[in-house]
Amino acid sequence: MLSFTEENYLKALVELTVFDADSDEVGVNRLATCLEVKPATVSDMVRKLRNKSLVNYEKYGKVSLTSEGRLKGMMVIRRHRLWETFLSSKLGFSWDEVHELAEELEHIHSEKLINRLDEFLDFPEFDPHGDAIPNQKGEILLPFRRTLSEIEVGKRHRISAVRDQTEVLQYMDRIELKINQEVTIEHREAFDGLTTITYGNRTSVVSPKLTENIFVVCAECGKAKCSCK
Amino acid sequence: MLSFTEENYLKALVELTVFDADSDEVGVNRLATCLEVKPATVSDMVRKLRNKSLVNYEKYGKVSLTSEGRLKGMMVIRRHRLWETFLSSKLGFSWDEVHELAEELEHIHSEKLINRLDEFLDFPEFDPHGDAIPNQKGEILLPFRRTLSEIEVGKRHRISAVRDQTEVLQYMDRIELKINQEVTIEHREAFDGLTTITYGNRTSVVSPKLTENIFVVCAECGKAKCSCK
DNA sequence: TATAAAAGTTAGATTAGTCTAACAATTATT
DNA sequence: AATAATTGTTAGACTAATCTAACTTTTATA
Ligand SMILES: [Mn+2]
Ligand SMILES: [Mn+2]
Ligand SMILES: [Mn+2]
Ligand SMILES: [Mn+2]
């Protein structure tokens, strides 16, 4: 049985090498920053995870997940996202409150519990932030993702997901920007990336700090990578 | 914030000094047995809990809860019993499965979560084993309890609660003995305590190992201590 | 390519929770 | 009251997860 700590390392590795898909391996420093511990701590820990066949790693090399490690990490994310969905849809928590609670709940070790919860929630596909929920086998829809900071001016898009960070979510609440809402970029300032967006009957000027955390798809075809005119 | 371990010590102390109410203090050995650790471990730990003002204790003396310790312990039990109720009533787990899962869930630290859960479950008074659920203030109905092994022959009683032990619960399922069922003792063998009981349209011979774990009240007045003829 | 910077490792310390083995205090029994 | 049994404490060791400080390897740059 894995400890909370080991599970958090595997979860972070999935996030760094599967979701943020530039590379399927990652350095010790990067992992340390992400987990908010010192590189020395990570060095020790990845050796331990290698001995359990959960990661590939050798001294001074990069770290990557084995298929077993990837599955274990994916299951932590499945639990996290299902609990977030439960808290939001059944207990009425707002989308900026659920992540912190799910950080604890994700470590409850019972496959039966999580599958029953999945059923109770009617097998949701997405969590409250628009992130896909891995299935029982650890499989997940991994769409190519594009952020509001990358798309061209003038074309209608729809918000599909948001990075799960309290401040982002609370800010979006404040300007009434929601998942599934259609958004158009009116103007993007080359100098500092300040962006004017319209949505519903509103117009807002927002910074890259926000637009980099919002994922969108084409409003017409529903895809992030599309060839609609 | 208390660790899992500290919470388990407080929970055990509530069980030993509040529920099993012969005395409001307990020795190190007893506590050690109950927690399945060695007395040496308990000696260290209770000193630590005393320094946090959660227990009263001095070297070679007995251990008892302070009011703060009692409240903290009671809240662990509140969480445990609410999660058991959730697992049973919403996720369809059987009464012999819920305890083990609740042992993990009881350590999720969020008062807001547990109060929302309470509301979601419609403020249940009892968990699936008939145990009262402490309220938000840590108050609990503490009925005088009498077991099936103690009551007189011939008088009708009703099962109010069962000690939460997997084997007991599974055995009761097997002989179709349920909470709220009316039971009469037909005969109790003085030699070994073997007891013949009737309930519904059945008769069973059961041992003290079972009857000592089943709590009953008078079928007429609903009290454990009654003067009905 | 030589050197500087960045990335990564190791050694030694710390904290929480546990253990065993030896010892000390309290309580029960003759 | 003396002795035995029970109960409880202490010292020293171990594991997991973390840190700091010193050191080494790899990578980037002049
Ligand atoms: Mn989250
Ligand atoms: Mn976590
Ligand atoms: Mn229980
Ligand atoms: Mn527990």
Side-chain angles (χ1 to χ4, degrees):
Chain A
M1 178 125 306
L2 299 177
S3 68
F4 279 31
T5 306
E6 291 170 316
E7 287 193 335
N8 283 337
Y9 276 74
L10 295 178
K11 185 173 68 140
L13 281 164
V14 170
E15 274 155 7
L16 291 170
T17 67
V18 182
F19 296 166
D20 282 357
D22 358 313
S23 166
D24 66 349
E25 54 179 27
V26 71
V28 165
N29 276 330
R30 180 86 193 285
L31 194 45
T33 309
C34 183
L35 288 162
E36 298 181 270
V37 296
K38 301 294 166 188
T41 310
V42 172
S43 264
D44 278 352
M45 195 61 170
V46 292
R47 197 156 4 88
K48 189 173 141 201
L49 292 172
R50 184 204 47 205
N51 295 339
K52 293 190 175 189
S53 300
L54 296 166
V55 302
N56 308 117
Y57 161 77
E58 53 198 60
K59 212 166 35 153
Y60 293 108
K62 299 283 179 183
V63 187
S64 65
L65 286 164
T66 62
S67 61
E68 197 193 337
R70 181 187 155 126
L71 176 62
K72 292 269 168 66
M74 212 47 110
M75 292 316 280
V76 180
I77 288 161
R78 170 171 162 79
R79 296 194 293 256
H80 182 101
R81 294 181 179 177
L82 280 171
W83 280 115
E84 284 190 343
T85 306
F86 168 75
L87 293 169
S88 161
S89 73
K90 300 291 181 179
L91 300 193
F93 280 93
S94 59
W95 73 345
D96 59 298
E97 295 176 302
V98 298
H99 179 78
E100 197 190 325
L101 289 167
E103 284 293 304
E104 291 191 58
L105 287 161
E106 74 190 9
H107 301 292
I108 303 289
H109 290 110
S110 164
E111 215 168 309
K112 189 167 181 182
L113 168 55
I114 213 64
N115 292 339
R116 287 276 177 99
L117 187 65
D118 196 11
E119 189 187 345
F120 182 61
L121 300 170
D122 250 326
F123 306 102
E125 286 187 70
F126 302 99
D127 79 8
H129 316 101
D131 292 312
I133 297 173
N135 70 14
Q136 288 190 42
K137 294 177 192 153
E139 298 158 349
I140 185 174
L141 217 87
L142 272 183
F144 174 81
R145 299 203 298 182
R146 171 170 278 173
T147 67
L148 201 46
S149 62
E150 295 164 344
I151 60 171
E152 66 250 66
V153 172
K155 196 163 143 202
R156 272 189 318 131
H157 282 79
R158 188 168 48 77
I159 297 181
S160 59
V162 182
R163 227 166 238 140
D164 182 356
Q165 289 165 9
T166 313
E167 311 74 42
V168 173
L169 300 171
Q170 287 176 351
Y171 185 51
M172 286 181 67
D173 279 343
R174 226 172 316 128
I175 64 172
E176 291 175 317
L177 199 51
K178 299 180 187 15
I179 282 200
N180 284 322
Q181 192 143 41
E182 294 199 356
V183 185
T184 309
I185 304 219
E186 297 302 327
H187 176 73
R188 188 185 285 117
E189 189 57 54
F191 171 58
D192 55 9
L194 276 198
T195 305
T196 309
I197 58 176
T198 57
Y199 54 99
N201 48 15
R202 298 190 50 151
T203 297
S204 295
V205 178
V206 295
S207 74
K209 191 160 176 198
L210 181 70
T211 57
E212 283 162 6
N213 287 302
I214 297 180
F215 300 99
V216 292
V217 293
C218 168
E220 266 181 73
C221 69
K223 290 177 189 159
K225 209 179 216 161
C226 84
S227 46
C228 304
K229 52 103 239 316
Chain B
M1 177 124 310
L2 299 178
S3 68
F4 279 32
T5 306
E6 292 171 317
E7 288 193 335
N8 283 337
Y9 275 74
L10 295 178
K11 184 173 68 139
L13 280 165
V14 170
E15 275 155 8
L16 291 170
T17 67
V18 182
F19 295 166
D20 282 357
D22 357 313
S23 165
D24 67 348
E25 52 178 29
V26 71
V28 165
N29 275 334
R30 181 86 192 285
L31 194 46
T33 309
C34 183
L35 288 161
E36 298 180 271
V37 297
K38 300 294 166 188
T41 309
V42 173
S43 264
D44 278 352
M45 194 61 172
V46 292
R47 197 154 6 87
K48 189 174 141 202
L49 291 172
R50 184 204 47 204
N51 296 337
K52 294 191 174 187
S53 300
L54 296 166
V55 303
N56 308 116
Y57 161 77
E58 50 198 61
K59 210 167 36 156
Y60 293 108
K62 299 284 179 183
V63 186
S64 66
L65 286 164
T66 63
S67 62
E68 197 193 338
R70 181 187 154 126
L71 176 62
K72 293 269 168 64
M74 212 46 108
M75 293 316 280
V76 180
I77 287 161
R78 170 170 161 81
R79 297 194 292 256
H80 182 101
R81 294 182 179 176
L82 280 171
W83 280 115
E84 284 190 342
T85 306
F86 168 74
L87 294 169
S88 161
S89 74
K90 300 291 182 181
L91 300 194
F93 280 94
S94 59
W95 72 346
D96 60 298
E97 295 175 302
V98 298
H99 179 78
E100 197 190 326
L101 290 167
E103 284 293 303
E104 290 192 57
L105 288 161
E106 73 190 9
H107 301 292
I108 303 291
H109 291 110
S110 165
E111 215 169 309
K112 189 167 181 183
L113 168 55
I114 213 65
N115 292 340
R116 288 277 177 99
L117 188 65
D118 196 11
E119 190 187 344
F120 182 61
L121 299 171
D122 249 326
F123 306 102
E125 288 187 68
F126 301 98
D127 80 6
H129 316 100
D131 292 310
I133 297 173
N135 71 14
Q136 288 190 42
K137 296 178 192 152
E139 297 157 349
I140 186 175
L141 217 88
L142 271 184
F144 174 80
R145 299 203 298 183
R146 172 170 278 173
T147 66
L148 201 46
S149 63
E150 294 163 344
I151 60 171
E152 65 249 65
V153 172
K155 196 163 143 201
R156 271 189 318 131
H157 281 79
R158 187 168 47 78
I159 297 180
S160 60
V162 182
R163 224 166 240 140
D164 183 355
Q165 288 165 8
T166 313
E167 311 74 42
V168 172
L169 301 170
Q170 287 177 351
Y171 185 51
M172 286 181 65
D173 280 344
R174 228 173 313 129
I175 64 172
E176 291 175 317
L177 200 50
K178 298 180 188 10
I179 282 200
N180 284 321
Q181 191 145 41
E182 295 199 356
V183 185
T184 309
I185 304 219
E186 297 301 326
H187 176 74
R188 187 185 287 116
E189 188 57 54
F191 171 58
D192 53 9
L194 275 198
T195 304
T196 309
I197 57 176
T198 57
Y199 54 99
N201 48 14
R202 298 190 50 150
T203 298
S204 294
V205 178
V206 296
S207 74
K209 191 161 176 195
L210 181 70
T211 57
E212 282 161 7
N213 286 301
I214 297 181
F215 300 99
V216 292
V217 293
C218 168
E220 267 181 73
C221 69
K223 292 178 186 158
K225 209 179 214 162
C226 85
S227 45
C228 304
K229 56 101 236 317

